[in-house]
């Protein structure tokens, strides 16, 4: 069952492919190919790791100050018996270090760079989006113009 926090998070995700059934289909296809030993599991994991890296960099560089409301799960109605042991003091949180993300690469600056998904091809400019030169070999990297 979807939680309010989960629904809110999905609404905040800007990368449409990440929310799409298309991406699920791509992953399922590659997993079937891994089962048949026609696709390398290590390559699949590398592609996933690279996609997560890109998403994290995008989120870190997002200055829109969007927030997600978190709701604590409801406590169960069965409460444990009171213990004779003294309660521990809550830990004090140490302040987090600010992470500075590198400036995102935009537009035509992508062309000619190594593909961020497969790492083997280079980024090329298509009719509607940037993509990988190894698209015929199955690389699914795609970045629409203007994003």
């Amino acid at each position: 069952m979807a939680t309010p926090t989960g629904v809110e998070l999905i609404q905040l995700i800007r990368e449409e492919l990440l929310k799409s059934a298309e991406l699920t289909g791509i992953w399922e296809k590659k997993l079937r190919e891994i089962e048949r030993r026609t696709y390398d599991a290590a390559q699949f994991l590398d592609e996933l790791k690279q996609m997560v890296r890109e998403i994290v960099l995008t989120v870190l560089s997002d200055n829109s100050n969007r927030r997600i409301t978190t709701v604590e799960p409801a406590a169960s109605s069965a409460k444990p018996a009171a213990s004779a042991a003294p309660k521990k003091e809550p830990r004090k949180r140490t302040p987090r270090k600010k992470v500075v993300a590198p400036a995102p690469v935009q537009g035509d600056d992508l062309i000619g760079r190594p593909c961020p998904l497969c790492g083997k091809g280079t980024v090329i400019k298509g009719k509607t989006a940037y993509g990988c030169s190894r698209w015929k070999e199955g690389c699914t990297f795609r970045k629409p113009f203007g994003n």
Side-chain angles (χ1 to χ4, degrees):
M1 180 172 205
T3 64
T5 301
V7 171
E8 192 174 346
L9 178 62
I10 292 298
Q11 290 171 345
L12 288 174
I13 295 173
R14 292 185 176 164
E15 181 58 50
E16 290 301 315
L17 180 63
L18 189 61
K19 300 187 291 187
S20 73
E22 178 186 358
L23 183 61
T24 303
I26 290 167
W27 287 350
E28 289 293 330
K29 177 180 180 276
K30 288 182 179 183
L31 289 170
R32 282 192 303 276
E33 290 173 353
I34 290 168
E35 286 177 345
R36 290 190 300 258
R37 301 187 194 285
T38 60
Y39 196 78
D40 182 41
Q43 181 179 348
F44 179 69
L45 290 174
D46 288 342
E47 291 170 1
L48 290 178
K49 288 176 189 176
Q50 182 61 39
M51 186 175 81
V52 169
R53 272 189 221 100
E54 290 176 17
I55 292 167
V56 168
L57 285 174
T58 301
V59 170
L60 289 174
S61 64
D62 183 356
N63 295 326
S64 65
N65 209 18
R66 296 178 292 164
R67 298 279 186 248
I68 297 174
T69 309
T70 57
V71 179
E72 293 295 321
S76 66
S77 58
K79 293 185 179 181
S83 169
K87 292 190 175 187
K88 291 183 181 180
E89 289 291 320
R91 282 189 186 177
K92 292 184 180 178
R93 287 191 162 174
T94 56
R96 288 187 175 188
K97 293 179 183 175
K98 184 171 180 161
V99 177
V100 179
V105 178
Q106 295 295 322
D108 288 345
D109 294 341
L110 283 171
I111 298 172
R113 289 183 177 235
C115 174
L117 188 58
C118 73
K120 295 178 182 175
T122 56
V123 177
I124 58 174
K125 187 173 185 176
K127 293 178 183 176
T128 60
Y130 300 97
C132 179
S133 62
R134 293 181 54 94
W135 61 273
K136 287 183 181 178
E137 286 83 10
C139 182
T140 58
F141 171 73
R142 187 175 179 277
K143 182 174 176 104
F145 297 145
N147 286 349

